[in-house]
Amino acid sequence: MSNRTCTVIESDARCPKKAGTRRMCDMHYRRWRLYGDPTVTRIRPMGALRQILLDAIATETDECIILPPKASRPTAKVNGKGMNASRAVWVLAKGDPGSLVVRHTCHRGDEGCINLRHLKTGTQADNLRDMDEAGRRVTGERRGGKCRRPTKLSERKAAEIRSRYQAGGARQIDLAKEYNVSQAVISSVVRGANWVPDGQQRNTAKVRSNTSPETRAAIRERWQQGGISQQALADLFSVGQTTVSRILHSMN
């Protein structure tokens, strides 16, 4: 049995790695698939991209500097770490902001603006407020059109889900299948964590995993009465379904 090696020759030397598809090693085969040439390592030299980022730092213009491609938020690498190009500009100019996010005063981050004059740091909460001010944060029925991941629910459907679940006889898992969403989404709707009707306060309470002896006793008592699922019990007592299952199968 012959030990075939890669047939690609670089720098006047044949690659010594084991050959696979098309008689190339995995590395050269991936290059061939990406670029059409197994010897090409990068279409655009990293030095060229770095120079664009440095120019964005030194610029004196107040106009947006859009880094192609415009179809998506561009990325770059600094010290071997991938990140959004705007963050890369900030890291090169001012250092790593750590847990802070890099915000855009021009509200054109999604388009690829990398002008340092338009960048500032802040928390994720600050970033969300920026999105609200710019009208870029879409939820509920306002999603659609240009949204990459449009929602499967609507206010009308959420109201139907709450009504049917509260009336009894409809399990969350069945509702999830019917509306083509996950059970977690259904749970968030019936608990009031998402798709909250106008005029009502959103339920931001976290599901509790630690339960008191009184709560455990109440869960067992309600289960013994019948006519309720474990998931419904979990929603009723604001605990996880796994917690309910453990309580029902334990004597503690």
Side-chain angles (χ1 to χ4, degrees):
M1 180 176 177
S2 61
N3 184 19
R4 295 190 307 167
T5 59
C6 180
T7 58
V8 177
I9 299 176
E10 290 187 277
S11 301
D12 297 326
R14 179 167 173 167
C15 176
K17 296 180 181 179
K18 183 178 179 180
T21 306
R22 289 184 174 267
R23 301 179 68 185
M24 290 183 280
C25 65
D26 290 342
M27 178 188 70
H28 286 116
Y29 178 68
R30 285 196 300 269
R31 290 180 183 176
W32 176 80
R33 287 289 304 274
L34 286 171
Y35 310 126
D37 186 337
T39 62
V40 173
T41 58
R42 198 183 300 271
I43 292 296
R44 179 171 60 183
M46 193 59 197
L49 175 57
R50 187 181 183 89
Q51 188 58 53
I52 294 175
L53 302 181
L54 293 175
D55 290 343
I57 295 173
T59 186
E60 296 183 358
T61 180
D62 287 325
E63 299 294 325
C64 287
I65 300 175
I66 305 298
L67 179 64
K70 297 182 180 180
S72 61
R73 189 185 291 266
T75 60
K77 278 189 177 182
V78 177
N79 298 328
K81 184 178 180 180
M83 61 191 74
N84 289 334
S86 55
R87 186 179 182 89
V89 168
W90 188 275
V91 171
L92 290 172
K94 301 179 181 295
D96 191 344
S99 61
L100 297 178
V101 300
V102 175
R103 303 152 59 196
H104 289 76
T105 58
C106 61
H107 301 303
R108 296 186 67 187
D110 285 343
E111 300 178 45
C113 179
I114 58 172
N115 190 337
L116 181 62
R117 291 171 174 248
H118 295 177
L119 306 180
K120 63 179 179 179
T121 58
T123 64
Q124 181 61 21
D126 295 329
N127 196 38
L128 293 176
R129 280 194 292 270
D130 291 344
M131 295 172 66
D132 289 335
E133 292 175 2
R136 294 188 292 109
R137 187 182 179 191
V138 290
T139 58
E141 288 184 319
R142 289 178 294 168
R143 293 188 179 218
K146 297 181 179 180
C147 181
R148 296 187 185 93
R149 297 173 65 182
T151 182
K152 295 178 181 179
L153 294 183
S154 65
E155 292 180 2
R156 178 184 60 80
K157 291 181 179 179
E160 290 177 356
I161 291 171
R162 279 192 295 270
S163 177
R164 293 176 58 186
Y165 186 77
Q166 292 169 1
R171 300 187 306 166
Q172 287 193 17
I173 188 64
D174 295 331
L175 290 171
K177 292 179 180 179
E178 180 178 343
Y179 287 90
N180 195 27
V181 295
S182 66
Q183 184 175 346
V185 170
I186 297 296
S187 177
S188 70
V189 171
V190 300
R191 288 187 293 106
N194 281 318
W195 294 98
V196 182
D198 292 338
Q200 294 187 19
Q201 187 174 2
R202 180 171 176 263
N203 179 14
T204 58
K206 293 184 177 180
V207 174
R208 299 190 300 272
S209 58
N210 296 323
T211 57
S212 65
E214 293 79 9
T215 299
R216 293 196 292 271
I219 289 174
R220 292 193 186 99
E221 181 180 357
R222 180 63 186 87
W223 176 256
Q224 291 171 358
Q225 294 173 1
I228 191 169
S229 66
Q230 289 189 16
Q231 183 60 55
L233 271 175
D235 295 333
L236 181 63
F237 289 92
S238 296
V239 296
Q241 183 177 356
T242 301
T243 299
V244 170
S245 178
R246 289 173 178 172
I247 291 172
L248 296 178
H249 291 84
S250 172
M251 297 304 294
N252 297 329

